[in-house]
Amino acid sequence: MISLEAIRAICTGRIAIGEPLAGMTTFRLGGPADLFVEPMSASEVVALQRYAAERSIPMLVLGRGSNILVSDEGFRGIVINLERGFSQLDMQQEIVTAGAGVRLSAFVDFCIRHGYGGTEMLAGIPGTLGGAVVMNAGAYGGEISTYIVDVTIVRNGEVIVIPREKCGFRYRASDLGDSVVLSTRFILPPGDREAMQRRRRDLLLERNAKQPTTLPTAGCTFKNPPGTTAAELIEHCGLKGFSIGGAEVSELHANFIVARRESTARDVLDIINHVRAVVYEKTGKELQLEIRLVGFPDGACKPLPLPGNGGAK
């Protein structure tokens, strides 16, 4: 049981009961959170994490909601958002420090404005820095972790600084998922401002031409398997345009699921399970989710008949 009085004693930012999460995700889907909180300092995040852990209350960090699917029933626990309290951008000598709540587009603009490169490929990703670091976001051959020095996190009720080599960065993942990222430090290579601006513009134009950026979506649904891409496999299986309810596999980019006005989160999940099953049946390739499922029961993403899962191929 969450005590609103206790949360108000901890947090000086906005607090809301039953906050709808659909408007906080790029899918525009999902039910309410039991409690939504905007902590304004590291000490408030520490206190919230300790409060939740002591009472076994689930806690979710939600930025721009650009890589998650929230269930229609919502999230039973505390959702925290760091955009208001952790939006600092600072440069000391060659080190850029960015708060977890900074939008990626603002981070890219800041770096280019100060003559530092290596971030241009992130410009079209509609997320915040904290989430991008946790999932090691990237595009066009680059990853956000490449130039990270260290990450400041809250873990087990303590603020600690983790050097890059201890973060477990890998393709679209890290070992930071059980933590709350507060800020990240980078050492970026110098670059020509005009050249970096052109590259950012060209990548945005390419993204807009090849991806359904004007429709509700959570970006790439699946990770790319070794030696191929998820989009190629899905298209090869004839699944472009496949729909359930108001959701469908994008005709523009097969690794995107788009959600129209009448969609539900269940529609999207059913498409995910269908696509994984068909691709595995026809190609033997296992598609792993790149987006995160929130508020769904265990097993909502149905296991494939892999060896050890009740079957073999």
Side-chain angles (χ1 to χ4, degrees):
M1 178 68 70
I2 301 172
S3 167
L4 188 58
E5 182 179 354
I7 297 298
R8 283 175 174 158
I10 291 171
C11 182
T12 58
R14 187 170 79 91
I15 300 171
I17 300 171
E19 182 82 354
L21 297 180
M24 300 181 185
T25 74
T26 54
F27 254 140
R28 297 293 183 259
L29 299 172
D34 286 344
L35 193 68
F36 177 85
V37 183
E38 291 182 336
M40 302 302 292
S41 67
S43 61
E44 291 184 9
V45 175
V46 167
L48 283 169
Q49 192 183 69
R50 289 177 178 173
Y51 178 89
E54 289 168 359
R55 293 158 181 81
S56 299
I57 299 170
M59 191 169 80
L60 170 71
V61 183
L62 180 65
R64 301 297 297 170
S66 60
N67 68 325
I68 69 170
L69 175 65
V70 178
S71 77
D72 299 307
E73 288 72 36
F75 182 73
R76 304 283 71 78
I78 301 172
V79 172
I80 70 170
N81 179 277
L82 304 178
E83 289 185 82
R84 288 186 60 205
F86 297 83
S87 59
Q88 73 275 18
L89 274 168
D90 181 56
M91 186 176 66
Q92 296 291 334
Q93 297 180 342
E94 78 277 19
I95 295 181
V96 175
T97 302
V102 172
R103 296 191 185 190
L104 288 179
S105 57
F107 173 63
V108 174
D109 289 344
F110 180 88
C111 294
I112 292 177
R113 190 165 64 249
H114 287 84
Y116 290 101
T119 66
E120 301 93 313
M121 77 290 184
L122 300 171
I125 301 175
T128 53
L129 189 128
V133 169
V134 170
M135 72 169 292
N136 192 19
Y140 301 105
E143 294 179 330
I144 195 170
S145 63
T146 301
Y147 301 109
I148 286 177
V149 177
D150 52 41
V151 184
T152 299
I153 65 172
V154 177
R155 177 181 287 168
N156 298 325
E158 301 291 340
V159 177
I160 56 177
V161 179
I162 307 293
R164 180 191 184 280
E165 59 272 18
K166 299 290 187 181
C167 292
F169 288 119
R170 51 201 181 275
Y171 174 61
R172 300 298 179 268
S174 73
D175 292 341
L176 301 172
D178 62 343
S179 310
V180 180
V181 172
L182 300 180
S183 64
T184 304
R185 298 199 305 163
F186 300 82
I187 293 182
L188 299 158
D192 178 82
R193 289 181 180 85
E194 291 187 3
M196 290 186 294
Q197 288 171 347
R198 285 195 301 271
R199 174 167 168 75
R200 176 183 57 182
R201 183 188 65 243
D202 291 345
L203 291 179
L204 284 171
L205 289 172
E206 181 177 350
R207 184 187 297 270
N208 291 338
K210 295 182 178 180
Q211 299 176 3
T213 55
T214 61
L215 294 172
T217 179
C220 287
T221 307
F222 302 103
K223 298 178 183 180
N224 290 326
T228 186
T229 68
E232 289 173 342
L233 293 172
I234 295 166
E235 185 169 0
H236 171 76
C237 293
L239 291 168
K240 263 190 172 182
F242 174 80
S243 64
I244 294 177
E248 68 179 37
V249 177
S250 171
E251 293 276 10
L252 191 60
H253 192 306
N255 198 18
F256 282 63
I257 295 174
V258 297
R260 303 191 185 278
R261 182 171 296 180
E262 67 274 23
S263 303
T264 66
R266 172 54 63 177
D267 293 338
V268 176
L269 180 63
D270 288 345
I271 289 180
I272 287 171
N273 283 321
H274 179 79
V275 168
R276 293 183 74 240
V278 171
V279 168
Y280 183 69
E281 178 184 0
K282 292 188 174 182
T283 71
K285 298 286 187 179
E286 179 187 5
L287 292 180
Q288 297 182 348
L289 280 178
E290 182 167 321
I291 66 173
R292 181 181 176 188
L293 302 181
V294 171
F296 290 92
D298 292 342
C301 189
K302 295 178 181 177
L304 297 171
L306 304 170
N309 282 345
K313 179 91 175 168

